[in-house]
Amino acid sequence: MKEEGIAPTQCTYSTLLESYRRHTEIREVINEMRREGIEPDVWCWNTVMKASKRPQYRRKIVNEMKETGLSLDTVSWNTLMNAYKNPSHIRQIMEEMRNEGMSPDVASYTILLKSYSDPLDRRGVIEEMLAEEIKPNVATWSTIMNSYDDPLVLREIMEEMRNTGVKPNGTLVFHVRECML
């Protein structure tokens, strides 16, 4: 590109970042961006975070974003949460998110749901969502349904899902039918 006299843009670098998975390659792209006078935006940093599954690395990226004056968006917070498996860690991040003026969304709560193995804990998260007027989506209900194999319970959940205005997709219907066999 440079040989042709075309200067790379934020979009160019963001596309490059999506193609890399090794931290050293990603760091090289970030450093090159900065040498070109292009500071990574939130979307770039979110892409960088997604490249690592390690919570400490994602936390480091969040800290770097904050140090450069960037405000995290919901995708940033959810990407950070998604690296953790312990519900207490996820809840801490949700609280941090609230303290910075952002509200957890349906994806945030679905990540929290996945961190619980006990169906009763998962049901508690659904109640929490509804109390905060956050409508569960198909992914949320699917996470709940994966906790059960009792056809009667699954039918009740499907009815509850319909009552919240969410239509079951083919995967959920198949799961219920498989449990009935």
Side-chain angles (χ1 to χ4, degrees), residues 129-180:
M129 288 176 73
L130 295 173
E132 291 191 33
E133 298 182 5
I134 296 173
K135 184 179 170 183
N137 62 19
V138 172
T140 311
W141 287 111
S142 178
T143 301
I144 289 287
M145 292 178 87
N146 286 335
S147 303
Y148 298 96
D149 57 7
D150 180 339
L152 296 175
V153 173
L154 289 169
R155 280 180 180 227
E156 287 174 18
I157 294 170
M158 219 126 115
E159 187 60 33
E160 187 177 350
M161 182 172 98
R162 285 187 182 106
N163 289 339
T164 63
V166 179
K167 290 177 120 180
N169 63 18
T171 304
L172 292 179
V173 172
F174 180 77
H175 177 66
V176 171
R177 286 189 179 153
E178 281 294 303
C179 290
M180 293 175 148

Side-chain angles (χ1 to χ4, degrees), residues 11-175:
C11 184
T12 309
Y13 285 113
S14 295
T15 304
L16 273 173
L17 284 169
E18 282 190 335
S19 68
Y20 292 121
R21 291 292 171 240
R22 291 193 3 237
H23 303 294
T24 53
E25 294 170 331
I26 290 169
R27 256 313 146 188
E28 280 179 35
V29 173
I30 295 292
N31 291 337
E32 184 178 334
M33 285 177 76
R34 288 181 166 154
R35 281 192 301 274
E36 294 289 329
I38 301 171
E39 195 58 36
D41 63 5
V42 174
W43 192 84
C44 286
W45 285 121
N46 290 345
T47 303
V48 171
M49 265 200 290
K50 288 176 190 173
S52 176
K53 303 293 181 211
R54 294 187 356 235
Q56 64 274 20
Y57 181 76
R58 288 186 182 185
R59 175 54 77 179
K60 183 178 173 184
I61 295 299
V62 164
N63 293 340
E64 192 168 344
M65 289 170 73
K66 289 179 180 181
E67 286 168 11
T68 62
L70 287 174
S71 297
L72 279 68
D73 62 11
T74 309
V75 174
S76 309
W77 289 110
N78 290 341
T79 302
L80 177 61
M81 281 183 236
N82 216 10
Y84 290 89
K85 304 299 173 219
N86 184 315
S88 64
H89 288 127
I90 295 168
R91 285 191 178 278
Q92 285 174 336
I93 295 167
M94 288 172 87
E95 190 57 35
E96 186 181 345
M97 183 180 185
R98 286 183 187 100
N99 290 339
E100 294 201 14
M102 298 211 54
S103 298
D105 64 3
V106 67
S108 310
Y109 278 100
T110 302
I111 292 165
L112 178 62
L113 268 174
K114 289 177 183 177
S115 71
Y116 285 107
S117 56
D118 185 324
L120 292 176
D121 290 331
R122 287 181 170 190
R123 297 293 293 166
V125 173
I126 290 287
E127 297 303 319
E128 204 177 313
M129 288 176 73
L130 295 173
E132 291 191 33
E133 298 182 5
I134 296 173
K135 184 179 170 183
N137 62 19
V138 172
T140 311
W141 287 111
S142 178
T143 301
I144 289 287
M145 292 178 87
N146 286 335
S147 303
Y148 298 96
D149 57 7
D150 180 339
L152 296 175
V153 173
L154 289 169
R155 280 180 180 227
E156 287 174 18
I157 294 170
M158 219 126 115
E159 187 60 33
E160 187 177 350
M161 182 172 98
R162 285 187 182 106
N163 289 339
T164 63
V166 179
K167 290 177 120 180
N169 63 18
T171 304
L172 292 179
V173 172
F174 180 77
H175 177 66

